[in-house]
Amino acid sequence: MGRVYKAEFRHEAVRLALSSGLSRERIAQDLGIGSSTLKKWIRDAQKHDTVVSDATDHTALLRENERLRRENLLLREERELLKKATQFFASQRS
């Protein structure tokens, strides 16, 4: 008989597989489980819809967070450019 894993471990493995962006083979290898085992856990979770919605929500939040970070960086760069332009034109008036 194979090794028995706690439900908490399986739940976390599925969440990682669906939201980390790493390959499932890599995650399975890192966790010390077979890739077919991880695939079965994901399939079971999708059937029961236990982790899938959490992972999907998490993935969407990660994407939104990354988009906001890029937007924030762009706005900071624009602000710095406007500060420099203001200083330049203020020195030209004198």
Side-chain angles (χ1 to χ4, degrees):
M1 176 132 188
R3 186 169 175 197
V4 178
Y5 296 94
K6 292 183 178 182
E8 188 177 299
F9 179 80
R10 292 190 309 262
H11 178 82
E12 186 64 18
V14 171
R15 188 190 65 75
L16 282 170
L18 295 175
S19 65
S20 71
L22 297 172
S23 72
R24 292 178 182 175
E25 289 79 18
R26 175 63 190 254
I27 292 170
Q29 181 182 13
D30 289 348
L31 294 174
I33 60 176
S35 59
S36 61
T37 301
L38 181 59
K39 189 182 228 182
K40 180 186 179 306
W41 292 351
I42 293 169
R43 192 172 47 243
D44 291 345
Q46 289 171 336
K47 281 182 190 175
H48 297 94
D49 197 32
T50 55
V51 180
V52 177
S53 61
D54 290 344
T56 304
D57 292 344
H58 182 70
T59 304
L61 287 174
L62 288 174
R63 271 191 252 125
E64 177 69 6
N65 193 20
E66 183 60 32
R67 184 190 68 78
L68 291 171
R69 286 180 193 274
R70 284 192 309 267
E71 183 178 339
N72 195 13
L73 179 63
L74 178 65
L75 292 171
R76 286 180 187 201
E77 290 172 351
E78 289 174 349
R79 184 186 67 201
E80 289 301 315
L81 179 66
L82 289 172
K83 280 184 183 179
K84 290 177 182 177
T86 302
Q87 290 173 351
F88 173 79
F89 287 116
S91 69
Q92 296 295 317
R93 293 185 95 171
S94 306

